[in-house]
Amino acid sequence: MTTQVKKICCLGAGYVGGPTCAVIAYKCHDIDVTIVDLNESRIAAWNSDHLPIYEPGLDKIVFERRGKNLFFTTQVEQSVLEADLIFVSVNTPTKKSGLGAGFAADLAYVESATRQIADVAKSSKIVVEKSTVPCRTAESMRTILEANSNENIRFDILSNPEFLAEGTAINDLLNPDRVLIGGLQTPEGMKAQQALVEVYAHWVPTDRIITTNLWSSELSKLAANALLAQRISSINALSAICEATGADIDEVAYACGRDTRIGPKFLKASVGFGGSCFQKDILNLVYLSEQLNLPEVAAYWKQVVDLNEYQKKRFVSRVIKTLFNTITNKKIAIFGFAFKKDTGDTRESAAITLCKDFIQENAKVRIYDPKVTTEQIFLDLSEPGVVDNTKQLKNRVTIAKSAYEASEDADAIVITTEWDEFKVSIELDYQKIYDQMHKPAFIFDGRLILDAEKLRNIGFRVHTIGRAEA
Ligand SMILES: NC(=O)C1=CN([C@@H]2O[C@H](COP(=O)(O)OP(=O)(O)OC[C@H]3O[C@@H](n4cnc5c(N)ncnc54)[C@H](O)[C@@H]3O)[C@@H](O)[C@H]2O)C=CC1
Ligand SMILES: O=C(O)[C@H]1O[C@H](OP(=O)(O)OP(=O)(O)OC[C@H]2O[C@@H](n3ccc(=O)[nH]c3=O)[C@H](O)[C@@H]2O)[C@H](O)[C@@H](O)[C@@H]1O
């Protein structure tokens, strides 16, 4: 008989734990879901009218289930004690120091969450690795948990990586392409796997729920992110060839993507991919390959990240070169600071690198993003621990409340995030923007969202990634 899950606890109320478990509560009214975090202010925000993350559709789901079968708390012990199934959804950032620094995932949070479960549990639990981790992490978790099991308590470990993308998280969770559940191929392991299958089967068609062994599941998560990022680096590499030859990267992407074997998605050239995971997970894969003594494999995946860095630098050079080889004291309006549209998340955003480079060149940058807070922007641009450069930063960086305010007296506009409101045909009056800028007025489209022809007719000098200068 399968164990029926009645109470779920999720350790980690972040971008993954919050939306994922809110959707489980929304779809499974017979299951109580408690999301726990050590961070008190984050939990207070989850319990308030202003959720700690911006994600379209999330508010509605949380407000509908909160206090009914969805709870947010800092009470780790109580929640772990009561749960039959525990998601470990804590952060796994790249290690900053020690062995593997700059590449390996820092598993300290996963380990401490696992130890918390081992210390507190008084009944059997299914422990689910939701965080993205290096292949075979479940083995370490199992060792810690088994050292604490006895004839009355057993722990079954599953891997259930998350594939949601920020900005579309709710739709991704409600209609996933697939749900992946890895488990040990023992009778107990398969029984635990089935218990989690039944949770998802409340709303996901069973042919979309894939069960595999633990290690395939762990590796598939790193592999999926590496393959997605590899497509972006491939198209960005081609964008450089386009700029030098007169080919147009959107046309090339379209022509290639029409081949059903290639497909159209993830072929949009850009200033470089950002986000908390692509770079981290690929570096994690590089480290894993090196550990397995596979240097050629490591070098192959490392190139995806290197190309991404190159793309950002190449774009910065193009801006400086076009602005007559100097941007000292020039005003550059930055449209967008989040790593993609429809999120307020700035982790690894290409805009951070670009702004830092412009500041290094003594430009004055004025940033507008509809969802990122001023505090977050200054946090991202300052370099705590290196030098306290907040004062210098404030001389160079200002935050605007609108695209119009950002572009007042500007020499150039740089589009860094593809927010819909920046598109010519949707909201912005680019004639008004042009009229208030220094001339010649330059616009650099790092996201291929603008109608260059229309802007040129207004008088703008338009430079687009993946297109030669007109
Ligand atoms: N952000 C994303 O879109 C995706 C992230 N992932 C993976 O999911 C994991 C979590 O990522 P995010 O949610 O973005 O991170 P996050 O940093 O937003 O959230 C993690 C939360 O865990 C909390 N935490 C740490 N240790 C804890 C403990 N022992 N007990 C309770 N709470 C604890 C932290 O305070 C933090 O609020 C990472 O491994 C990431 O790679 C996977 C798919 C998508
Ligand atoms: O593990 C994770 O964290 C998640 O990472 C990505 O999701 P996310 O980073 O939220 O967003 P994406 O839509 O993948 O975009 C990542 C970056 O690539 C850029 N991008 C995306 C697509 C494209 O064609 N071109 C491009 O430059 C985006 O602008 C953004 O900066 C994956 O898409 C998710 O499946 C995965 O779960």
Side-chain angles (χ1 to χ4, degrees), residues 132 162-167 221 225 228 232 235-236 265-278 281 339-341 418 447:
T132 303
E162 186 47 62
F163 296 103
L164 68 81
E166 288 177 32
K221 174 61 198 180
N225 273 357
L228 289 169
I232 303 171
I235 206 73
N236 282 345
K265 295 182 181 166
F266 271 72
L267 286 183
K268 189 78 182 167
S270 65
V271 274
F273 59 74
S276 62
C277 292
F278 277 175
D281 294 348
F339 80 96
K340 63 185 281 197
K341 73 171 184 177
E418 75 283 20
R447 291 292 189 162

Side-chain angles (χ1 to χ4, degrees), residues 12 14-16 37 42 90 92 116 131-132 162 166 280 347:
Y15 285 87
V16 167
D37 207 292
R42 211 165 200 185
V90 301
T92 50
Q116 266 170 326
S131 301
T132 303
E162 186 47 62
E166 288 177 32
K280 155 176 95 68
R347 291 179 289 180

